Amino acid sequence: MERRDFFKKAAVVAGVAAVGSTTAEASATHQPIDNRKVSDVAFPEKRPLILYSDRPPLLETQRDVFTSILTPNDQFFVRWHMPDIPTHIDPETFTISVNGLVEREINISLNDLKTKFEQVEVTAVLQCGGNSRSAFTPIAGGIQWGSGAMGCATWKGVRLRDLLDQAGLKKDAEWIGFNGSEKAAYYETPEFIRELHLEELDDHVILAYQMNGEDLPYLNGYPLRLVIPGSYSDSWVKMLSNITVTDEYKHLFFMDVAYRVPDNECECETPEKKAPKTKPITKMNVKSIIGYPTNGGKLSLNSHVVVRGVAFDDGHGIKKVLVSTDEGKTWQEALLDDGKAGRYAYRAFRFTFKPTKLGKLTFMAKAINNIGEEQPFANEIKWNHGGYKYNGIDEVTVEVI
Amino acid sequence: MKKLILITALLASPLFAQTKEKIEVPYVAFPIKMGKGFDAVQANCLMCHSFGYIINQGRQSKAFWRGKIDKMITHFKAPIGEEAAKSVTEYLYKHYGNGKLK
């Protein structure tokens, strides 16, 4: 493209240009930004979503999608790290390689994966560690996601364990490295590799080729991705190409520098005094999102409203979801779905309410999991430099007319 | 004959990609504030990522923007010289800064 064209095009507002405010208030979290519109541009296999970047693609799901346990593939959020994503993968010739400290190196085709191994399914939430990052003040580094860098799907594939068994782990095997196919612009840039300790890899970890009964969309990692129920999405390597077994941990950027929180009890720090030690974000905390109504919506006086949303954690399971309509002074229990989608899935909740007063009305939702962990109020959440793991009580304000 | 075709299609279906052709990730134009130093942004930043990736970090301090550039140099191995790094920092701080040096 000619430079002039570039400038001319640049004048067109096509994507989100979310530049936060310059308020110099003291460090306090608040509700994540929730006023972004979907883009005019639809990405491959996707409906138009909230757009932050085209290269690498960064797309967020809008709030009103979060009323049922499965997030449709074409509305599922997208997050890549590198600019160069393979735009064509031939399912006939694609293979996944298992090598390193194994008895036999294997290259398995997609067809073999689908026919020669036990096929398993898990419904699990995929959430970016930086989901809701826009809640933090001062503004934490990274994309200023609202609450839609998450989704829940039924993933189908084969157990990682079965694949490793086929290759046969050697005695010293301890770490499993997963390599995705995305590429940087420079050869020297570190590849997107994750390493997981064998102990972290239980039978729930699968290599999935299907999402909600369809091929994975390219932008969600076609043809094969890692699924680690309960863990944040930075570990769910997309477009998986290679699995390498080692006895020693390799130092990797995406493990050792990115996606880490302070290694202290509150997982918190201040911009002036950053925590000296950090740890990986790993497991998700308990969280819920209201999908209906949405901010700025209108409800009719004395109408029968059913508030809907989803709640999840890292697999302990959701015990209850409470809703407040008086700024958190009193709480009432919402109805939960049957939970048959399993402990890693969204629990859909619903709460019937009849608005009897005109004017502004705020709904709050708070999830509590089976080990008694509950969501704190937004302003109780302490800051961390990467803006990770926000799980404040969700709020939606509507007008009763 | 019709039945045979159907059977063949079913057998082959597991390996049909949903998308048969190369996908094309669209180009999106983000609003850019023109000014001194943008040339350096264009020359040093935009081959790896979009302008959207920059401005959607929110308004940040001068030290934050410099830190991001250093991260690109140190961890992502971007070949950005000191002069360019300074120009990019000044540009980002001026147009997408929060008024704080640190």
Side-chain angles (χ1 to χ4, degrees):
Chain A
M1 190 189 301
E2 292 288 316
R3 196 181 130 117
R4 258 183 73 179
D5 284 352
F6 183 75
F7 287 166
K8 222 191 292 174
K9 277 206 165 176
V12 183
V13 183
V16 177
V19 175
S21 69
T22 50
T23 47
E25 57 193 287
S27 161
T29 48
H30 44 81
Q31 290 295 310
I33 295 174
D34 191 45
N35 59 3
R36 296 186 177 127
K37 302 276 175 283
V38 298
S39 165
D40 296 333
V41 185
F43 278 60
E45 302 168 275
K46 296 284 171 184
R47 295 189 213 189
L49 298 170
I50 298 166
L51 168 70
Y52 295 95
S53 168
D54 52 341
R55 212 170 42 100
L58 302 172
L59 307 171
E60 179 179 328
T61 307
Q62 54 275 41
R63 174 187 283 276
D64 61 6
V65 175
F66 301 120
T67 54
S68 57
I69 60 165
L70 295 181
T71 311
N73 290 5
D74 61 357
Q75 292 179 296
F76 212 97
F77 87 101
V78 170
R79 199 272 188 258
W80 291 81
H81 297 83
M82 304 292 181
D84 192 5
I85 303 165
T87 51
H88 182 72
I89 290 170
D90 183 354
E92 299 280 352
T93 56
F94 170 85
T95 60
I96 172 85
S97 154
V98 184
N99 49 53
L101 289 177
V102 291
E103 299 297 340
R104 0 164 226 288
E105 286 198 5
I106 50 174
N107 286 289
I108 300 173
S109 70
L110 217 45
N111 194 44
D112 283 353
L113 272 181
K114 292 178 180 184
T115 53
K116 296 191 175 153
F117 291 85
E118 188 186 342
Q119 307 296 296
V120 291
E121 278 191 359
V122 62
T123 301
V125 177
L126 175 64
Q127 181 187 209
C128 175
N131 189 26
S132 313
R133 180 179 287 128
S134 60
F136 289 95
T137 303
I139 299 172
I143 292 294
Q144 298 301 301
W145 297 103
S147 297
M150 62 171 203
C152 179
T154 299
W155 312 91
K156 183 178 178 184
V158 302
R159 286 189 196 95
L160 172 68
R161 181 80 67 191
D162 292 347
L163 213 67
L164 294 178
D165 283 350
Q166 174 108 336
L169 291 179
K170 284 197 169 156
K171 201 169 79 260
D172 302 337
E174 206 165 321
W175 293 91
I176 318 287
F178 299 91
N179 198 354
S181 304
E182 55 185 314
K183 291 273 179 292
Y186 298 110
Y187 180 71
E188 298 82 5
T189 304
E191 290 186 311
F192 193 84
I193 302 175
R194 301 290 298 188
E195 279 194 329
L196 297 175
H197 196 265
L198 260 183
E199 282 172 10
E200 295 174 78
L201 301 169
D202 59 19
D203 280 353
H204 298 283
V205 178
I206 68 171
L207 306 179
Y209 54 80
Q210 221 180 62
M211 177 174 170
N212 294 331
E214 300 173 356
D215 285 348
L216 294 172
Y218 261 86
L219 294 179
N220 294 111
Y222 182 82
L224 199 62
R225 81 174 301 163
L226 196 59
V227 167
I228 309 177
S231 288
Y232 284 104
S233 61
D234 51 302
S235 298
W236 297 38
V237 179
K238 296 182 287 296
M239 280 191 181
L240 207 53
S241 57
N242 192 39
I243 298 174
T244 304
V245 183
T246 58
D247 55 354
E248 220 171 54
Y249 177 77
K250 279 185 288 180
H251 289 274
L252 303 162
F253 173 76
F254 288 103
M255 297 288 296
D256 292 344
V257 183
Y259 294 113
R260 294 178 79 91
V261 286
D263 189 5
N264 53 35
E265 205 176 327
C266 66
E267 298 184 347
C268 67
E269 60 197 335
T270 64
E272 296 76 34
K273 204 171 172 217
K274 301 244 175 83
K277 265 183 77 190
T278 60
K279 60 186 177 188
I281 54 175
T282 60
K283 298 283 176 194
M284 298 192 290
N285 48 19
V286 63
K287 190 165 178 171
S288 64
I289 294 291
I290 298 167
Y292 178 82
T294 55
N295 277 309
K298 291 188 169 54
L299 300 178
S300 296
L301 188 70
N302 292 322
S303 63
H304 293 270
V305 178
V306 182
V307 176
R308 289 177 190 274
V310 294
F312 62 96
D313 72 343
D314 63 349
H316 289 99
I318 295 301
K319 189 172 182 192
K320 51 183 153 182
V321 174
L322 304 175
V323 175
S324 173
T325 53
D326 58 6
E327 274 131 44
K329 288 193 229 27
T330 61
W331 295 88
Q332 282 170 282
E333 212 167 323
L335 293 167
L336 294 180
D337 68 5
D338 61 17
K340 281 185 182 152
R343 62 195 175 101
Y344 294 115
Y346 282 155
R347 287 298 291 276
F349 66 86
R350 59 192 197 279
F351 178 79
T352 53
F353 184 76
K354 192 173 179 180
T356 52
K357 241 173 74 185
L358 289 169
K360 294 256 187 261
L361 168 66
T362 297
F363 293 104
M364 291 179 155
K366 169 165 79 170
I368 302 170
N369 71 5
N370 284 326
I371 55 167
E373 291 167 342
E374 61 179 77
Q375 292 180 259
F377 282 103
N379 64 11
E380 291 169 347
I381 290 183
K382 302 273 194 302
W383 194 83
N384 69 79
H385 69 279
Y388 293 120
K389 298 180 75 168
Y390 172 87
N391 71 334
I393 289 171
D394 195 33
E395 276 182 41
V396 160
T397 300
V398 297
E399 199 180 349
V400 180
I401 53 169
Chain B
M1 187 61 198
K2 226 177 184 177
K3 200 174 170 187
L4 188 69
I5 292 170
L6 186 70
I7 289 168
T8 321
L10 279 176
L11 282 176
S13 66
L15 290 183
F16 275 158
Q18 193 166 277
T19 308
K20 292 180 189 70
E21 289 176 4
K22 232 171 101 132
I23 59 153
E24 207 146 309
V25 176
Y27 166 79
V28 177
F30 289 87
I32 292 174
K33 290 185 184 152
M34 286 305 134
K36 193 173 163 227
F38 181 69
D39 282 358
V41 171
Q42 204 172 17
N44 292 281
C45 309
L46 303 187
M47 72 267 294
C48 287
H49 57 77
S50 66
F51 198 70
Y53 210 149
I54 301 174
I55 58 177
N56 285 306
Q57 307 275 321
R59 288 196 175 272
Q60 297 285 3
S61 70
K62 194 168 184 175
F64 174 91
W65 287 123
R66 178 66 210 217
K68 283 280 169 182
I69 295 160
D70 288 340
K71 175 170 126 182
M72 297 304 154
I73 298 169
T74 313
H75 296 296
F76 289 92
K77 312 295 176 197
I80 305 174
E82 180 54 27
E83 204 178 313
K86 277 189 183 139
S87 302
V88 173
T89 307
E90 290 297 338
Y91 168 85
L92 291 175
Y93 179 59
K94 181 168 179 208
H95 298 285
Y96 304 99
N98 64 4
K100 291 179 190 166
L101 292 177
K102 274 186 171 176

